[in-house]
Amino acid sequence: MTIHRTALNLASTLAVTMAMPSSALLAQSSSSPESTAANSRLTVAKGQYLSIIIPEAKSDSDAARQSYYRQALPLGQKFGLKREVQLKIDNRVISDYKPTGLIFFSYPDQASEKQLASQPQWPAIKALRPEAWNELRIYSAAVKNDLDLTFDPAKYYTLVVAWTNPDKPDDYQRYLKGIENAVSSAGGRFIYKMNNPNMEAHATSLKAPNQLTFVEWDAPNGFARVQQTEDYRTSAPYFQSGVTNVEFYYMSVNGKS
């Protein structure tokens, strides 16, 4: 889905889509890392390499997923791969992509991830992904500062994946800066921004996005409250001019759909 800047009306788009029922999650195997309960705390140090995996599973593909995990996870663990936190995607507010959840993985550093990728058996393991997922998107970047987050089952989380406009490179940041106070007043907190990640995917022509932005909210209507503020109305034009494509998801620890 390409967002055309001349046609985008963010306020009306989100006002309609946020009232829609949550998207149903595709069934997952109870033994899959995509469905196994995970720790709610994400603690990674500066210099570690963080991967955010956002999968869209194929139906009736549990055997293929298990085959992939049986090979990929033990090999990755030899190079320090660690499964961190899982979130469930409750609502695709803006997205043509239909992911089932989101999982954080970490490596000791980027060199460790490169060591895994250089193993002779790794290409054959990666080749199993299309059998298990319609798409498996992985966004990865080195952590710039120590990160210690606890995901609360009582809270609500949003993720915006943004492809910024190269002709207006600063406008998206102006938008985010302009709504900071409104987000805070509405019970929201910017908790993590992954900038210029590397991207892996087997079924899309999209290039890597420029930023993934995570916000924690006290209530499900937090962003709707932001939209009613003068700060938002002033800043929204910078969003319209600052992005060429965007995805917007609501998430939670245990699922709120």
Side-chain angles (χ1 to χ4, degrees):
M1 176 190 69
T2 300
I3 303 296
H4 298 285
R5 296 187 298 278
T6 56
L8 177 66
N9 185 324
L10 179 64
S12 61
T13 299
L14 294 185
V16 172
T17 54
M18 288 177 70
M20 295 171 61
S22 298
S23 302
L25 298 176
L26 293 176
Q28 301 284 339
S29 164
S30 61
S31 58
S32 166
E34 293 164 30
S35 60
T36 304
N39 293 329
S40 61
R41 186 175 180 183
L42 174 64
T43 305
V44 288
K46 178 181 178 180
Q48 285 192 254
Y49 199 61
L50 188 63
S51 288
I52 298 171
I53 298 179
I54 307 179
E56 180 185 326
K58 285 185 173 180
S59 58
D60 302 321
S61 63
D62 183 66
R65 287 199 301 277
Q66 296 311 313
S67 177
Y68 174 83
Y69 286 130
R70 281 195 300 268
Q71 299 175 68
L73 294 182
L75 181 62
Q77 288 166 357
K78 293 181 180 180
F79 301 97
L81 176 66
K82 180 183 177 184
R83 183 180 182 279
E84 300 284 355
V85 174
Q86 171 188 314
L87 296 173
K88 292 187 176 182
I89 292 177
D90 299 314
N91 195 0
R92 295 180 291 109
V93 181
I94 302 175
S95 181
D96 292 333
Y97 185 46
K98 301 176 181 178
T100 57
L102 179 151
I103 315 168
F104 292 91
F105 282 84
S106 68
Y107 295 86
D109 49 35
Q110 188 171 2
S112 300
E113 188 272 342
K114 289 182 176 180
Q115 281 186 292
L116 169 61
S118 69
Q119 297 306 297
Q121 63 269 52
W122 187 241
I125 296 173
K126 281 185 64 175
L128 298 173
R129 290 176 180 174
E131 299 178 25
W133 295 278
N134 292 323
E135 178 70 289
L136 184 67
R137 297 185 185 178
I138 305 175
Y139 304 111
S140 304
V143 176
K144 301 300 184 182
N145 299 290
D146 292 351
L147 189 63
D148 189 352
L149 301 174
T150 298
F151 291 90
D152 187 340
K155 304 291 186 181
Y156 299 78
Y157 297 88
T158 56
L159 166 63
V160 174
V161 184
W163 288 258
T164 58
N165 179 7
D167 296 328
K168 302 277 188 177
D170 299 324
D171 279 12
Y172 184 59
Q173 297 308 317
R174 289 179 180 177
Y175 161 74
L176 293 178
K177 184 68 175 177
I179 65 171
E180 276 186 359
N181 289 337
V183 168
S184 179
S185 296
R189 291 158 292 280
F190 288 94
I191 58 174
Y192 178 57
K193 297 174 183 176
M194 177 180 277
N195 294 305
N196 300 313
N198 295 316
M199 177 181 176
E200 292 184 64
H202 64 261
T204 182
S205 60
L206 283 173
K207 296 181 179 179
N210 299 93
Q211 185 166 307
L212 279 70
T213 304
F214 291 83
V215 181
E216 179 185 76
W217 302 91
D218 293 335
N221 65 343
F223 187 68
R225 291 174 58 192
V226 172
Q227 288 180 283
Q228 304 306 311
T229 66
E230 183 61 30
D231 282 351
Y232 175 82
R233 286 187 285 271
T234 300
S235 301
Y238 290 118
F239 180 96
Q240 297 175 21
S241 61
V243 301
T244 58
N245 188 30
V246 68
E247 295 171 356
F248 187 110
Y249 303 101
Y250 262 94
M251 307 172 297
S252 60
V253 174
N254 295 318
K256 294 181 182 294
S257 57

